[in-house]
Amino acid sequence: GERKTNYHRPNLIYFQKTSKKNIMETVTSTEFKRNFSKMLTLIEEGQEILITRHGKPLAVALPYNEELVLWLDERLKNKN
């Protein structure tokens, strides 16, 4: 049968970085696209990147976090 798992909200302290290296960087979508390989390296090193388009937030690129992915997946399933 269908396996039902109850995932709890992830520890959002993960997003509250204090190290200068981990403060969210902001780049335009054009900069992100132009420097894609460099952006992936930064993300791999733990950097979180806010991507903007026309000065407005568009997306956030951040290192993979399994707990967060499972939590988001569960929330999306419960929306339907």
Side-chain angles (χ1 to χ4, degrees):
E2 185 178 313
R3 190 177 127 200
K4 198 85 158 137
T5 309
N6 184 17
Y7 292 107
H8 297 285
R9 183 176 184 197
N11 183 351
L12 296 182
I13 297 292
Y14 172 80
F15 296 105
Q16 298 171 358
K17 305 289 187 183
T18 55
S19 163
K20 186 175 183 179
K21 180 179 179 180
N22 289 321
I23 293 174
M24 192 176 296
E25 180 155 339
T26 301
V27 298
T28 67
S29 57
T30 302
E31 290 172 307
F32 190 86
K33 182 172 61 173
R34 187 179 306 132
N35 301 296
F36 187 72
S37 182
K38 179 184 175 186
M39 295 293 117
L40 289 182
T41 299
L42 289 172
I43 294 164
E44 218 172 24
E45 293 172 351
Q47 182 69 52
E48 298 165 351
I49 301 172
L50 173 64
I51 305 163
T52 63
R53 180 181 285 160
H54 306 296
K56 296 179 182 173
L58 175 67
V60 175
L62 56 137
Y64 180 80
N65 177 306
E66 186 170 1
E67 183 181 357
L68 177 61
V69 170
L70 293 172
W71 179 75
L72 289 170
D73 185 51
E74 190 67 24
R75 289 211 38 171
L76 290 173
K77 286 179 190 173
N78 289 332
K79 274 192 157 191
N80 296 327

